Amino acid sequence: MTGPDNINGISRRERKKKSDLFVCPLGGMGEIGKNLTVFGYGEDYIVIDCGLKFPEEDMLGIDFVIPDATFLVENKSKIRGIFITHGHEDHIGALPFILPRLDVPVYCSRLAGGLIENKMLDANTGYHPDFRYVEACDKVSAGCFEVEFIQMCHSIPDAFALVVHTPAGAIVHSGDFKFDPTPIDGNRADYSALARLGDEGVLLLMSDSTNVERPGSTPSEKMIGQTFERLFRLYKDRRIVVATFSSNLNRTRMIFATAARFNRKVLLVGRSMVANVELALRLGTLDVPEGQMISAQEAEELPDNRVVILTTGSQGEPFSGLVMMSRGTHRQVKLGSKDLVIISATPIPGNEKLVSQTVNRLFACSAEVIYERDEKIHVSGHASRDELMLMLSLTRPRFFVPCHGEYRHLVRHAQLAREMGVNAKNIFILQNGDILKFNGSSKAEVAGHAPADAVLIDGFVLGEFEGSILRERREMAENGVVVVSVVLNGDMRPAAPVQIQTRGSVYSSEDGGTLRELESAVLAALAQFSRSPGARRETLPTEIRKRIREKLDMNPRCYPTIIPLVTYI
């Protein structure tokens, strides 16, 4: 494995003198989403992807989760750019929160750039990224690195695998991919480029592990087209509502094409759906006949069998178009017995309950509902086991790191790599933050760890690391809140009656006996405080909590959050 004689002006002899190449994933290991990986050599760093993860069920009130950017911010002077594999949120969604703190160029397709720009506007960051647009087969120099973009198939156009040519050898980062022989947009994965890299020598392969447990190959997207054709023909007398990911533009292309063949017009519902379709039309990624997209008012004037509603909400998102329809609160669309609803997506792990609740409400609206367990109305955008074997066979890497999957997926993918002939000593199952260092092209080891906590986002507010904020919310959700308001005069004596309110607690504000006991506890705390010479004001809330806790210890399984509010006049 020798690689090219010269990379960005560094000869093979000079490369041998250096051995400080490292790879550090800050997200995407042992989880679905939050993908971000740092590559470093000397004083040059690059970043691949910068995504978010949707919250788990117990993350109360959290909208999404992003990687910890501490390591990036501390080394931002060394970062030569962020390279984007494709425009899905688990690969670009954290950029509004991280990119303005780094202020480095973003290398991506025009489609991904447009999606990133939309997210920046939504977050109201006021930051305008420095986009450097690329296409398949392009090569970009970034410090001592050269990054090559290879066409791949996924559920969104312009998906790339990235080849990072380093002084120590070539690293192939697969991105999200599958080997679809009949892609909707006609752009097949570039097998020849992957085979060429295998012939030249691949130091490290980092490969998508999402579907490693699925045998065979992932079905082609064209299979979904056949299902839509059959359903449109079978339900030709009904209005059809299709819910899918707004970023799944290949699926969107198919729905428009099928609607046109059955002489139906398309109404877009959901802000992200409208924004993404308009972007794709502007860039030429999507081709829609003039007049096929209609407004809500035009849809009302057409017969049911002439309308298709394309909406967001396939994951049961609370304020999405489909969910509002299912609740009967959507201003423009009311569902009934003359509607067919097709949910063309599978639930993201953690969203199963939300999707199930949405399906139940749709049935309660008397609509006919078709979802994955009934029909083949969704295929994955990720490679199954046979395709992962093909990726390993084409690239023939010396080292292997499975990525983009839960921990069991990474383990299964590592086992597959061993079966395909990769030396077991050269396979690394990394955790977020692990720093994998290479000693030339012959040896690698995990040597160090970077901060890689999860950062919680509530709305567009950057929250704390996963821990304290969730612990507080869980405590309040489980046991409620007791709020104590105390007004003191200059002599540190009560100037008004003690006020106690409870919310979500078994100790009700209407329970006079309990409230009198709590009030006496507060007054005892105030008396103790006033008798203590040199007592500091800031210690009073702690004393109040202590006294109330003593009263509530009669029920040791219920510990409401106690919030003292002390006012001095």
Side-chain angles (χ1 to χ4, degrees):
M1 182 182 300
T2 60
D5 288 333
N6 189 289
I7 296 179
N8 295 342
I10 302 176
S11 69
R12 187 182 302 165
R13 178 177 297 177
E14 291 173 317
R15 296 201 302 270
K16 287 183 178 180
K17 296 178 182 178
K18 300 183 179 182
S19 58
D20 52 356
L21 172 68
F22 75 85
V23 176
C24 177
L26 298 180
M29 295 294 181
E31 60 187 353
I32 302 295
K34 201 155 65 66
N35 300 297
L36 190 158
T37 306
V38 186
F39 300 79
Y41 191 95
E43 295 299 303
D44 295 319
Y45 292 8
I46 63 170
V47 177
I48 291 183
D49 290 334
C50 187
L52 58 77
K53 181 175 76 170
F54 293 103
E56 298 171 9
E57 191 172 350
D58 62 347
M59 291 183 174
L60 305 174
I62 298 303
D63 291 300
F64 42 87
V65 185
I66 66 171
D68 179 3
T70 301
F71 181 72
L72 298 179
V73 173
E74 290 176 350
N75 294 280
K76 66 179 183 179
S77 63
K78 301 177 183 179
I79 299 175
R80 308 303 172 218
I82 298 177
F83 294 77
I84 302 299
T85 59
H86 65 284
H88 279 159
E89 292 211 82
D90 55 333
H91 295 259
I92 66 170
L95 283 170
F97 305 93
I98 294 178
L99 181 58
R101 301 164 67 189
L102 304 179
D103 193 26
V104 297
V106 178
Y107 296 88
C108 61
S109 69
R110 290 190 176 275
L111 175 60
L115 294 170
I116 294 167
E117 189 67 52
N118 286 345
K119 295 194 73 62
M120 290 287 179
L121 292 173
D122 286 344
N124 196 26
T125 62
Y127 178 82
H128 299 285
D130 177 12
F131 289 118
R132 312 285 177 89
Y133 295 118
V134 297
E135 298 178 352
C137 302
D138 282 354
K139 295 181 180 180
V140 174
S141 294
C144 68
F145 299 109
E146 183 179 72
V147 182
E148 180 180 357
F149 290 77
I150 296 180
Q151 180 71 54
M152 300 298 286
C153 291
H154 190 40
S155 54
I156 187 173
D158 298 337
F160 301 120
L162 301 184
V163 186
V164 183
H165 295 283
T166 81
I171 299 175
V172 177
H173 187 294
S174 74
D176 288 352
F177 79 99
K178 67 177 182 179
F179 290 122
D180 190 339
T182 55
I184 295 299
D185 58 7
N187 293 320
R188 296 180 176 83
D190 193 342
Y191 297 86
S192 60
L194 296 172
R196 168 181 56 80
L197 290 164
D199 291 339
E200 294 174 353
V202 171
L203 174 66
L204 169 67
L205 170 64
M206 302 183 70
S207 184
D208 177 14
S209 307
T210 308
N211 279 353
V212 68
E213 294 181 320
R214 296 188 183 183
S217 298
T218 302
S220 172
E221 186 74 20
K222 280 206 169 177
M223 184 193 76
I224 306 302
Q226 299 168 4
T227 302
F228 278 125
E229 290 273 353
R230 180 170 56 80
L231 292 175
F232 274 56
R233 186 174 290 108
L234 184 62
Y235 293 91
K236 60 185 177 182
D237 59 338
R238 298 202 188 190
R239 183 172 62 173
I240 296 177
V241 180
V242 182
T244 190
F245 289 106
S246 62
S247 59
N248 192 339
L249 292 171
N250 286 339
R251 190 73 45 83
T252 299
R253 180 199 302 269
M254 185 184 304
I255 293 165
F256 270 106
T258 308
R261 284 194 291 274
F262 284 84
N263 196 29
R264 288 179 181 256
K265 305 293 186 180
V266 178
L267 169 64
L268 301 179
V269 174
R271 186 169 53 86
S272 62
M273 183 67 74
V274 173
N276 289 352
V277 169
E278 288 180 347
L279 172 64
L281 289 171
R282 189 166 67 249
L283 296 177
T285 305
L286 192 63
D287 184 20
V288 176
E290 186 175 352
Q292 191 180 9
M293 282 192 344
I294 57 174
S295 66
Q297 183 177 356
E298 291 172 320
E300 290 179 359
E301 297 171 356
L302 290 174
D304 289 340
N305 63 357
R306 293 285 313 283
V307 177
V308 173
I309 299 174
L310 181 56
T311 181
T312 56
S314 63
Q315 298 302 304
E317 304 96 316
F319 298 104
S320 62
L322 185 66
V323 171
M324 295 176 70
M325 292 177 206
S326 73
R327 295 183 184 276
T329 58
H330 198 279
R331 291 180 300 172
Q332 299 167 330
V333 180
K334 304 298 179 184
L335 297 180
S337 58
K338 294 184 179 181
D339 291 308
L340 169 70
V341 179
I342 303 172
I343 301 179
S344 184
T346 53
I348 293 171
N351 288 355
E352 294 88 351
K353 188 174 182 180
L354 289 174
V355 174
S356 178
Q357 291 171 343
T358 302
V359 171
N360 286 330
R361 288 195 300 267
L362 291 169
F363 276 116
C365 293
S366 300
E368 181 73 20
V369 187
I370 293 176
Y371 45 107
E372 190 191 22
R373 67 185 61 186
D374 296 328
E375 301 279 354
K376 296 178 179 179
I377 41 80
H378 177 71
V379 296
S380 175
H382 299 268
S384 296
R385 191 175 180 86
D386 285 359
E387 295 158 282
L388 297 177
M389 293 172 63
L390 179 57
M391 174 64 80
L392 284 159
S393 178
L394 288 171
T395 56
R396 306 193 300 279
R398 175 170 292 178
F399 295 90
F400 178 71
V401 171
C403 59
H404 299 183
E406 296 177 0
Y407 194 77
R408 71 179 190 277
H409 300 143
L410 306 184
V411 172
R412 294 295 189 194
H413 206 173
Q415 293 170 346
L416 182 64
R418 286 197 295 272
E419 294 172 10
M420 293 295 295
V422 180
N423 191 322
K425 295 188 299 183
N426 293 348
I427 299 173
F428 294 88
I429 299 176
L430 301 180
Q431 297 182 0
N432 292 334
D434 283 348
I435 299 176
L436 180 65
K437 289 190 176 181
F438 290 84
N439 184 0
S441 61
S442 59
K443 184 180 179 181
E445 62 179 346
V446 176
H449 191 84
D453 292 315
V455 177
L456 309 179
I457 305 295
D458 190 345
F460 285 107
V461 178
L462 190 66
E464 300 179 29
F465 296 129
E466 185 175 357
S468 61
I469 188 171
L470 286 184
R471 184 169 58 253
E472 291 173 359
R473 289 186 177 186
R474 288 167 188 153
E475 289 173 355
M476 289 189 287
E478 292 173 2
N479 299 314
V481 182
V482 175
V483 180
V484 181
S485 178
V486 176
V487 180
L488 302 179
N489 59 24
D491 297 327
M492 304 301 291
R493 298 184 182 278
V498 174
Q499 299 291 323
I500 300 176
Q501 292 289 326
T502 67
R503 291 292 184 271
S505 171
V506 296
Y507 305 103
S508 170
S509 298
E510 299 176 0
D511 184 351
T514 300
L515 289 186
R516 282 191 292 273
E517 289 185 12
L518 296 182
E519 182 179 348
S520 67
V522 174
L523 292 173
L526 294 176
Q528 176 68 30
F529 181 79
S530 63
R531 290 195 300 267
S532 301
R536 302 191 309 274
R537 288 183 175 186
E538 57 267 25
T539 65
L540 179 56
T542 301
E543 185 67 24
I544 292 174
R545 287 194 192 94
K546 177 183 175 182
R547 295 290 182 136
I548 291 180
R549 181 68 66 207
E550 290 173 354
K551 289 291 183 182
L552 299 183
D553 273 349
M554 294 180 295
N555 186 354
R557 300 186 65 181
C558 181
Y559 292 101
T561 299
I562 301 168
I563 304 177
L565 302 175
V566 182
T567 304
Y568 299 94
I569 60 174

